[in-house]
Amino acid sequence: MLKDDWFTVRQIDENTYAISELGHWEKVHSFLLLGETKAALIDTGLGIDCMKRITDQLTALPIDVITTHVHSDHIGSHGEYTRIFVHKDEESWLVNGIVGLSLEQIRANTVRDITIPIPKTFNPDTYKPYTGKPTGLLKDGDVVDLGNRKLIIYHTPGHSPGHICIYDELKSYLFTGDLLYDETPIYAFYPTTNPVDLVNSLEKITTIPNVNMIYGSHNTLGIKPDILEEVKKAVIYLRENDLLKFGTGIHPFKGFSVQF
């Protein structure tokens, strides 16, 4: 498998790769999905190093970047690609900048707790999250066709207004972005988040049929779909106990936790 000083590349199957930044505290994963006519890159990481250097080694297909949401750790290498897609509710964030976090906060989050050498090409003092006009806008129910491989878009707001999950019909993978992952809390505690929407979105993904594996954007690579049964229980618990509001804290469940 491809070796790199910054990125860890792991092959999920013959046409699917995880491109991870495991030396950073956020342990961010981006995903490259190859089809017959084009490829999809789900997010582009932190922007500390050049992701196109990696994708160029993995495929010669044209690449559509599908943005799960416009936070700085998911759009870092967007500027290296020509075709970028985002949910319509976050078009303005991509064009004008991320709402709710100062550049100083973003820079501090980007450079803290890094356990491997930072590329010499990266300057934390001048780092700015990508801004630019997307190629196209996504909405709930859209299908991205890679030729022999169709990706279904689910609008799943809460962590951010235009957050999406992507279901790969061919492989039955569900890419959940920052809606569902393990180890560290899923969060909706910033003013730009919405606890009610987040729980509604968690409930929504439990209704997607035939999920074989879940790939969140942080921490463990690949979570078994049994976790969706725990998500169903969590949704009921959070609603019944009137916890869907800012300031109620961290709520642990089997396999994941949520913070409001």
Side-chain angles (χ1 to χ4, degrees), residues 4-8 20-24 46-50 53 114-119:
D4 189 81
D5 288 340
W6 180 255
F7 296 102
T8 299
S20 306
E21 297 173 78
L22 302 180
H24 189 273
L46 290 150
I48 289 174
D49 208 348
C50 172
R53 182 181 72 246
I114 295 175
T115 58
I116 61 175
I118 296 173

Side-chain angles (χ1 to χ4, degrees), residues 69-76 90 93 98 159-160 178 187 192:
H69 62 298
V70 180
H71 283 165
S72 59
D73 52 323
H74 298 263
I75 62 169
E90 284 179 28
W93 288 23
I98 299 161
H159 178 73
S160 67
D178 281 6
Y187 69 77
T192 52

